[in-house]
Amino acid sequence: MSCVGAARCEQSCANEHAIQRHLVNTFTDDVHRPALPYKFKFKVSGCPNDCQNAIERSDFAVIGTWRDDMKIDQAEIKAFIDKKGRQYVIDNVTSRCPSNCMTLNDDDTLDVDNHNCVRCMHCLNVMPKALSPGDDKGVTLLIGGKRTLKIGDLMGTVIVPFIKLETADDYEKLVDLASETIDFFAENALEHERTGEMIERIGLVNFLEGIGVEVDPNMVSHPRQSSYIRMDGWDEEAEKWFQRKAEAAAS
Ligand code: SF4
Ligand code: SF4
């Protein structure tokens, strides 16, 4: 499933329908559940508002986001304050920012500390004319969300913090990861077990090794919690991490 996204929604950071089309076209043969241990759902939401409830209700969630600074139209900020009042903006926008990263200045301009913005979408939803997602758009991929079954409700874990989806190669990477995930699920899940339950049972590290994804400290399991605090082999893993960062910077 996919939200209406870019077709009608100003918050969209992705081409939801292209994503859905690529996935449906690739996995049509897997639509019949008996071929797999149990159901496997894809959901696509164009922005972190997640109107599809993809994080909670899909095994493989694709959620649009941006990694540069959000866009601020200071004239629209002033117009909003003129209409609603300064106190309204303080009570309903800046003081409700979960990471406290917005400042309303004396001259009625707004500053955002983008490095600390967690893309919760609250301010953009309240002031859609003044604030909008940045230009460097892409998606975050989360795996393992589901409602209650063998174990209680699970939200998806961030497996790929950010990936651009612009070229045919980008879409191929997405489909390849989905394909690896479904293959691993088909081979390793117990009867009537969802992907998230399988991951809980075998451990996230084993799952990542199985689908060929490198561990990354940006893989969030709960808000403000990294999935990975590994103390075994710490120095070697840290060395690998810095090496990968240096290689990425050089390329
Ligand atoms: S998830 Fe975001 S892009 Fe999709 S409909 Fe909701 S607000 Fe719009
Ligand atoms: S999107 Fe959320 S975290 Fe980011 S500045 Fe707005 S309210 Fe704060």
Side-chain angles (χ1 to χ4, degrees):
M1 297 167 71
S2 144
C3 74
V4 68
R8 298 193 64 174
C9 179
E10 63 207 336
Q11 309 287 26
S12 171
C13 300
N15 185 341
E16 301 80 4
H17 304 110
I19 297 168
Q20 184 174 350
R21 194 74 189 145
H22 276 86
L23 294 170
V24 169
N25 282 2
T26 308
F27 299 109
T28 304
D29 284 349
D30 291 316
V31 165
H32 293 287
R33 195 188 301 170
L36 296 172
Y38 198 35
K39 61 186 152 188
F40 188 97
K41 297 184 184 180
F42 289 106
K43 286 195 177 193
V44 185
S45 280
C47 80
N49 274 329
D50 194 9
C51 293
Q52 276 299 315
N53 298 331
I55 293 181
E56 301 96 340
R57 303 299 282 270
S58 71
D59 302 273
F60 193 106
V62 183
I63 299 186
T65 187
W66 68 98
R67 64 180 168 182
D68 56 346
D69 295 352
M70 74 167 72
K71 289 189 272 192
I72 306 178
D73 183 332
Q74 298 291 0
E76 286 293 346
I77 299 276
K78 282 197 173 62
F80 191 89
I81 294 171
D82 285 346
K83 191 170 164 209
K84 295 281 200 176
R86 229 179 129 71
Q87 194 61 45
Y88 182 93
V89 175
I90 293 167
D91 289 347
N92 293 284
V93 184
T94 54
S95 64
R96 293 197 176 168
C97 169
S99 56
N100 227 353
C101 69
M102 312 185 85
T103 309
L104 186 59
N105 301 310
D106 286 345
D107 61 357
D108 286 352
T109 57
L110 185 80
D111 288 334
V112 175
D113 171 9
N114 281 276
H115 185 67
N116 279 314
C117 166
V118 292
R119 282 40 173 182
C120 79
M121 296 300 289
H122 172 69
C123 62
L124 292 94
N125 292 336
V126 181
M127 308 170 91
K129 283 189 182 168
L131 302 172
S132 40
D135 290 320
D136 191 5
K137 294 170 174 167
V139 298
T140 298
L141 306 178
L142 303 96
I143 300 183
K146 55 162 225 66
R147 283 238 52 203
T148 306
L149 185 64
K150 291 187 185 223
I151 58 176
D153 296 13
L154 295 173
M155 290 171 86
T157 295
V158 173
I159 298 296
V160 177
F162 187 89
I163 179 178
K164 295 289 279 183
L165 281 184
E166 285 172 351
T167 63
D169 281 355
D170 297 338
Y171 280 96
E172 203 175 314
K173 277 187 210 153
L174 170 75
V175 168
D176 284 350
L177 181 70
S179 196
E180 290 285 347
T181 306
I182 289 184
D183 287 350
F184 188 86
F185 172 62
E187 282 168 23
N188 294 283
L190 301 177
E191 189 68 20
H192 220 68
E193 184 177 58
R194 291 285 290 274
T195 309
E197 290 160 335
M198 173 192 72
I199 294 171
E200 286 277 306
R201 180 171 54 78
I202 67 173
L204 199 46
V205 164
N206 291 325
F207 171 68
L208 290 176
E209 275 172 18
I211 61 170
V213 171
E214 293 276 1
V215 168
D216 185 317
N218 295 311
M219 291 171 172
V220 179
S221 63
H222 299 94
R224 294 180 185 273
Q225 240 186 32
S226 169
S227 321
Y228 291 102
I229 305 293
R230 281 188 79 169
M231 301 311 287
D232 56 315
W234 176 269
D235 291 338
E236 296 81 34
E237 292 304 322
E239 189 54 45
K240 278 192 226 160
W241 162 250
F242 285 119
Q243 206 176 326
R244 282 205 299 274
K245 295 269 278 187
E247 280 167 14
S251 66

